[in-house]
Amino acid sequence: MNSEVKHICCIGAGYVGGPTMAVIADRCPHIQVNVVDLNKKRISEWNNSDLSKLPIYEPGLEEIVKRCRGKNLHFSTEIETYISTADMIFISVNTPIKQKGLGAGQTSDLKWIEASARQISKHAKGKTIVVEKSTLPVKTAKVIKDILEGSNREMDPNERKSFSVLSNPEFLAEGTAINDLERPDRVLIGGDNKESIEALAKIYSHWIEPEKILRTNLWSSELSKLTANAFLAQRISSINSVSAICESTGANIKEVAKAIGMDSRIGGKFLKAGPGFGGSCFKKDILNLVYICNFYGLNEVAQYWQKVVDINIWQQNRIAKIVVQKLFGTLSEKKLAILGFTFKANTNDTRESPAISICKDLLDEGCNLAIFDPKVSSKKVEDDLKTKQSKGVKQNDMNFGSWRLSKTIEEAAKDADALLILTDWDLFKNIEWKEIAKLMREPSWLFDTRGITDKETVQSFGINFWSIGDGS
Ligand code: UDX
Ligand code: ADP
């Protein structure tokens, strides 16, 4: 195997591939990094001269792309060309939950992984290290290996290629991706070929301390990724379950979270109650974990992890119900302002956002939603809610609500009966409540599902206040 990597190809220019390759290119100027994708629009957005139009919004990303693009960082649709010139190929393609067939709704659809492996087996030249970067079910490396080796068997022995498969899971969180990549808690490399492992470790060693680069076997690496996300998601479901107890008993979730988080064995991170976790990883990874547990007959273990997802769905449904109850049991003809549609702040990603299910529940109640999010387009909302934006009048008379995107918080709040904060964007922490109160219809309500506003201030302007886990 080559130990000195000079050409990297990354298949998939998404939330993982784009930022990860940008940081590698920035930290390793001696390596040519080619990010390829079959999505022409995405690639042309990565190549846009206006850096504010990159397809992914991540603080710090624009500066890196500005520094490296056209030098040692390239975005292209020429997948075959760059596979054939690479010493190392990262697979960073999408792996959503399967929609149909065996394991539907439970395990990842590996068709994009399989397609990538087939492309690699066909076009790679000589010795190639293949790195799985996408979040994957345990044993996916075997699928990749089987495909690569299978195609080799059909070749003339003199022309056979040599592949080595590594697992190098990504632990970046959206919104802090660049910081997470530049200063990771650890880097995990799983594999069975020492030389390949060291080739990848050498790349990371350009900016990461050696003691943070862990080497494991393939399956430990794959399982660690799923387990890390499952543990994080479990903390959120735990604190969200306690938020409901707080509301019933008169306790306050922020006080409880602080009190338990100060126990150094528990720690204070990931204890913010909210509308439930979203994002492309948590639910998918837990469902993958549940799937493999069932596969190996570990049914009790499967049920244990399934509950983390169940509580997350319950939390979202519960919030929509509370809104209905507080607004006299009916939302028909009422206007509700939705503040925040992304699954968390500092990203333009709406995958699995709790806002989607909450908005759908509210639309079912027949209300008119005015949605404001600093980073989300009407097209994205349309795709997520699976209904078109209304043209100002209610779309139909079937008691199903309507939605429109607002350009400002004020526009959303005008004549609204209630405001719902669903994403923890900083700008929602600094709302001028005095001005907003004047715009709303009385009795007005604020439902703060992220616990980021000040109760006394909001109430002082005559707005009724509900916040997650605030039982006082
Ligand atoms: C997660 C993991 O953090 C990351 O390591 C992995 O590589 C990918 O999945 P991400 O989905 O980008 O990252 O976001 P994260 O910050 O983990 O938040 C996930 C969800 O949990 C968000 O909806 C967020 O709002 C919610 N959350 C997080 C809470 O509700 N409370 C918290 O205390 C923390
Ligand atoms: P992630 O969050 O895991 O990065 P994304 O959906 O943002 O996921 O990005 C995955 C990218 O992979 C998409 O842009 C998609 O077009 C691309 N992709 C999927 N399959 C292939 C393939 N066989 N060849 C090239 N690109 C692919």
Side-chain angles (χ1 to χ4, degrees), residues 105-106 138 223-238 277 281-295 297-313:
Q106 293 166 30
V138 179
L223 184 59
S224 300
K225 165 73 183 189
L226 295 191
T227 311
N229 277 344
F231 266 58
L232 291 168
Q234 179 204 44
R235 276 174 79 92
I236 301 170
S237 278
S238 298
F277 55 79
C281 282
F282 282 175
K283 182 173 155 201
K284 182 177 74 181
D285 286 358
I286 297 179
L287 292 179
N288 273 319
L289 202 55
V290 169
Y291 188 77
I292 52 169
C293 290
N294 280 325
F295 180 82
L298 303 168
N299 301 335
E300 285 74 11
V301 185
Q303 283 163 16
Y304 173 76
W305 287 108
Q306 179 64 45
K307 277 287 161 211
V308 174
V309 175
D310 294 348
I311 286 284
N312 198 51
I313 296 168

Side-chain angles (χ1 to χ4, degrees), residues 42 71 73 84 98 112-113 152 194 237 242 265 312 357 403 438:
R42 209 167 218 188
K71 292 182 187 139
L73 175 66
S84 70
K98 251 182 118 172
W112 292 273
I113 293 281
N152 236 348
K194 194 160 179 346
S237 278
V242 177
R265 293 168 302 174
N312 198 51
S357 89
W403 68 270
K438 287 184 206 155

Side-chain angles (χ1 to χ4, degrees), residues 297-448:
L298 303 168
N299 301 335
E300 285 74 11
V301 185
Q303 283 163 16
Y304 173 76
W305 287 108
Q306 179 64 45
K307 277 287 161 211
V308 174
V309 175
D310 294 348
I311 286 284
N312 198 51
I313 296 168
W314 175 78
Q315 180 82 340
Q316 295 169 23
N317 294 338
R318 160 177 116 74
I319 287 170
K321 276 191 196 140
I322 288 170
V323 174
V324 179
Q325 279 159 7
K326 298 280 186 201
L327 298 184
F328 311 118
T330 175
L331 298 187
S332 184
E333 305 292 323
K334 285 180 181 154
K335 178 179 173 185
L336 267 60
I338 301 295
L339 302 188
F341 200 77
T342 54
F343 78 99
K344 64 176 194 174
N346 297 322
T347 177
N348 59 350
D349 195 351
T350 62
R351 284 177 292 179
E352 299 292 336
S353 176
I356 300 172
S357 89
I358 294 174
C359 285
K360 279 184 177 165
D361 283 355
L362 297 174
L363 287 172
D364 277 345
E365 294 286 336
C367 67
N368 304 313
L369 299 179
I371 302 172
F372 169 78
D373 188 292
K375 290 285 171 197
V376 175
S377 66
S378 55
K379 170 81 177 65
K380 215 166 210 181
V381 179
E382 212 166 278
D383 291 346
D384 288 335
L385 295 182
K386 299 194 171 52
T387 54
K388 288 208 176 301
Q389 174 162 221
S390 85
K391 295 191 173 71
V393 282
K394 277 198 82 170
Q395 278 173 305
N396 55 44
D397 57 0
M398 300 294 284
N399 207 25
F400 185 77
S402 68
W403 68 270
R404 278 189 68 70
L405 205 67
S406 298
K407 290 192 183 67
T408 60
I409 299 174
E410 290 73 18
E411 186 187 322
K414 178 119 184 34
D415 300 324
D417 297 274
L419 249 60
L420 270 78
I421 296 179
L422 297 185
T423 309
D424 48 346
W425 284 104
D426 267 351
L427 78 165
F428 302 149
K429 295 175 187 165
N430 306 311
I431 290 176
E432 284 294 336
W433 291 108
K434 189 175 174 190
E435 301 310 314
I436 294 295
K438 287 184 206 155
L439 295 171
M440 296 179 73
R441 188 167 84 145
E442 289 196 23
S444 56
W445 274 90
L446 169 67
F447 296 91
D448 180 359

Side-chain angles (χ1 to χ4, degrees), residues 45-275:
E45 285 168 349
W46 278 110
N47 285 323
N48 202 316
S49 54
D50 179 353
L51 288 165
S52 69
K53 301 226 165 69
L54 295 181
I56 282 154
Y57 170 70
E58 276 295 338
L61 179 63
E62 283 178 28
E63 289 81 349
I64 298 182
V65 172
K66 191 174 173 195
R67 272 200 297 276
C68 304
R69 197 177 57 188
K71 292 182 187 139
N72 69 327
L73 175 66
H74 313 275
F75 297 93
S76 170
T77 50
E78 289 182 32
I79 302 173
E80 296 170 11
T81 308
Y82 290 109
I83 286 179
S84 70
T85 54
D87 318 303
M88 181 176 273
I89 302 173
F90 287 79
I91 305 183
S92 298
V93 298
N94 33 331
T95 51
I97 289 291
K98 251 182 118 172
Q99 299 296 324
K100 283 194 277 189
L102 190 67
Q106 293 166 30
T107 188
S108 284
D109 191 338
L110 296 183
K111 74 174 173 199
W112 292 273
I113 293 281
E114 193 180 322
S116 303
R118 288 187 194 283
Q119 281 168 308
I120 295 170
S121 75
K122 194 162 170 203
H123 302 290
K125 299 241 157 64
K127 298 173 174 178
T128 313
I129 302 170
V130 178
V131 185
E132 49 169 38
K133 198 80 192 147
S134 317
T135 302
L136 295 162
V138 179
K139 298 277 175 184
T140 304
K142 180 156 174 11
V143 174
I144 299 175
K145 269 185 178 177
D146 286 350
I147 292 171
L148 296 176
E149 281 162 16
S151 75
N152 236 348
R153 276 195 293 276
E154 292 159 12
M155 295 184 79
D156 182 308
N158 299 324
E159 289 176 13
R160 278 191 188 153
K161 305 165 185 181
S162 145
F163 295 107
S164 156
V165 179
L166 300 178
S167 158
N168 174 219
E170 192 45 75
F171 294 106
L172 66 82
E174 288 176 30
T176 53
I178 300 303
N179 184 58
D180 296 340
L181 286 160
E182 289 181 335
R183 283 171 283 277
D185 288 345
R186 78 311 204 181
V187 165
L188 190 52
I189 304 175
D192 44 27
N193 181 297
K194 194 160 179 346
E195 216 181 319
S196 306
I197 294 174
E198 293 316 313
L200 183 54
K202 193 169 172 195
I203 294 175
Y204 286 114
S205 69
H206 284 98
W207 75 99
I208 295 162
E209 303 88 302
E211 61 277 11
K212 287 191 175 171
I213 303 176
L214 309 181
R215 286 114 170 131
T216 67
N217 77 31
L218 267 174
W219 324 124
S220 300
S221 172
E222 290 185 335
L223 184 59
S224 300
K225 165 73 183 189
L226 295 191
T227 311
N229 277 344
F231 266 58
L232 291 168
Q234 179 204 44
R235 276 174 79 92
I236 301 170
S237 278
S238 298
I239 203 72
N240 284 342
S241 72
V242 177
S243 75
I245 308 177
C246 288
E247 288 159 32
S248 299
T249 57
N252 182 299
I253 194 66
K254 285 188 196 162
E255 292 173 358
V256 174
K258 187 168 180 193
I260 63 168
M262 282 175 77
D263 183 327
S264 59
R265 293 168 302 174
I266 297 174
K269 291 183 183 164
F270 264 69
L271 284 182
K272 274 196 219 116

